[in-house]
Amino acid sequence: MSSHAVKKNLSGMQVLKTLGVLLEGDFTMQQLIEKLNQNETRPVFNNSVISKYINTCRQCGIEIPKIHNKYMVARIPFGLNMTSDEQGLLYNMQTIVRNHMSSRQNKIFDSFMEKINKFSNKQIVRIEKKSSKYFHEAFDKAIQEKRKIRLLFKAKMEMECVPVSIDRHNSKTYFNVQFQNKTRMIAEERLAGLEILREKFIEKINDQVVIYKLTGDLAYKYTLRENESYMSRFEDWCTISNHGENKELLFSRLLRYGSSCVILNPKEYQKEMMLMLDSTLSNYGV
């Protein structure tokens, strides 16, 4: 039986070239243009052409989000079907590399793990000091794409939840999530990894307006959030209107201000805040 040459589709080849470069790392549009034109006899890739090819990949089920102005392959639907045992083996290998090999070998292994993640049916970002930036980006990506996440704790437990925001307090990082209709603040130091799930969540709209008063140095130094505005402002006190912030997150933040902060409206928030303050003080025997 004689073989026949298969006619190559030029556009199809260019789509695969684009995907091939994207699998090498995370790149801006300008970087993609430069990389893709390197091996061409004349420049054939531009912003419009690459955007079209990226959309073609997306239509094939390949997840290519744009985060911090960079395009990245997050998941390939026809990737490796890794079992939990295989994932555990990779994690053990990572531990050995971390503890017994050079920084250069660690970088090589990190690059290898990133490639595995792109082709794996489960995208898990391990949380370590060296890779915390990637974990934060993955958390932000899940928020942007409105996808649920699974947090993996060092204590071997898991939590499937909705990502809300990242917060810093007393030099510690906290991940705010919705779990069983309640907001939880999870300290980064408690976590071992994060998995972005396919399931999407519906964002709840909060129209509640909260008015609170700040006094002393806090009133002078305070920086407004995006959802806030001043109602009145003087040298040693001010009133602020806060629109739509999650109640639990707002309370957690305002409690840190202690006696320098008082909620004025709504009255039910004022009562809840006072009860929380009383409870906190009683825990310290005050």
Side-chain angles (χ1 to χ4, degrees), residues 97-201:
V97 173
R98 289 283 181 268
N99 295 334
H100 303 290
M101 295 190 178
S102 66
S103 57
R104 179 177 177 275
Q105 295 296 324
N106 269 266
K107 286 180 181 178
I108 293 172
F109 191 84
D110 285 345
S111 177
F112 168 69
M113 286 294 286
E114 284 183 29
K115 289 179 182 177
I116 290 291
N117 255 334
K118 289 180 190 293
F119 286 98
S120 170
N121 62 324
K122 290 186 178 180
Q123 185 186 30
I124 294 182
V125 180
R126 294 289 174 186
I127 306 171
E128 302 174 8
K129 287 184 179 179
K130 292 181 180 179
S131 61
S132 62
K133 180 186 75 170
Y134 300 108
F135 178 79
H136 296 179
E137 288 178 355
F139 192 91
D140 285 335
K141 171 174 165 258
I143 294 173
Q144 290 176 31
E145 295 183 358
K146 293 182 170 55
R147 291 189 184 276
K148 290 186 177 181
I149 60 172
R150 179 177 290 114
L151 293 177
L152 311 175
F153 289 77
K154 291 177 181 177
K156 306 300 180 184
M157 61 174 280
E158 298 181 359
M159 177 189 288
E160 188 173 313
C161 51
V162 172
V164 177
S165 64
I166 300 175
D167 189 24
R168 285 191 64 80
H169 177 54
N170 290 340
S171 301
K172 288 188 177 182
T173 301
Y174 294 88
F175 297 94
N176 302 309
V177 300
Q178 285 281 348
F179 178 68
Q180 296 180 347
N181 295 320
K182 290 185 179 181
T183 300
R184 305 286 182 89
M185 291 181 67
I186 312 295
E188 183 178 31
E189 61 194 23
R190 295 179 58 201
L191 299 172
L194 171 149
E195 179 184 352
I196 301 176
L197 305 176
R198 291 183 181 275
E199 185 182 353
K200 294 205 170 188
F201 63 85

Side-chain angles (χ1 to χ4, degrees), residues 206-210 227-228 241-245:
N206 178 16
D207 292 325
Q208 180 67 64
V209 176
V210 180
N227 59 324
E228 293 182 332
S241 172
N242 178 293
H243 182 242
E245 187 168 351

Side-chain angles (χ1 to χ4, degrees), residues 36-49:
L36 284 163
N37 282 322
Q38 278 178 356
N39 299 319
E40 301 293 330
T41 53
R42 61 183 180 84
V44 294
F45 289 93
N46 56 42
N47 192 316
S48 176
V49 168

Side-chain angles (χ1 to χ4, degrees), residues 223-229 243:
T223 301
L224 289 175
R225 270 52 175 180
E226 289 183 7
N227 59 324
E228 293 182 332
S229 60
H243 182 242

Side-chain angles (χ1 to χ4, degrees), residues 10-62:
L10 182 59
S11 293
M13 292 295 294
Q14 302 296 57
V15 169
L16 291 176
K17 285 181 184 178
T18 303
L19 178 59
V21 170
L22 284 166
L23 287 169
E24 293 175 8
D26 309 334
F27 303 109
T28 63
M29 178 59 74
Q30 187 56 43
Q31 288 171 330
L32 286 172
I33 292 171
E34 293 171 2
K35 281 182 167 290
L36 284 163
N37 282 322
Q38 278 178 356
N39 299 319
E40 301 293 330
T41 53
R42 61 183 180 84
V44 294
F45 289 93
N46 56 42
N47 192 316
S48 176
V49 168
I50 294 174
S51 294
K52 182 176 72 174
Y53 293 157
I54 288 175
N55 284 331
T56 299
C57 291
R58 287 168 172 163
Q59 288 164 10
C60 294
I62 300 170

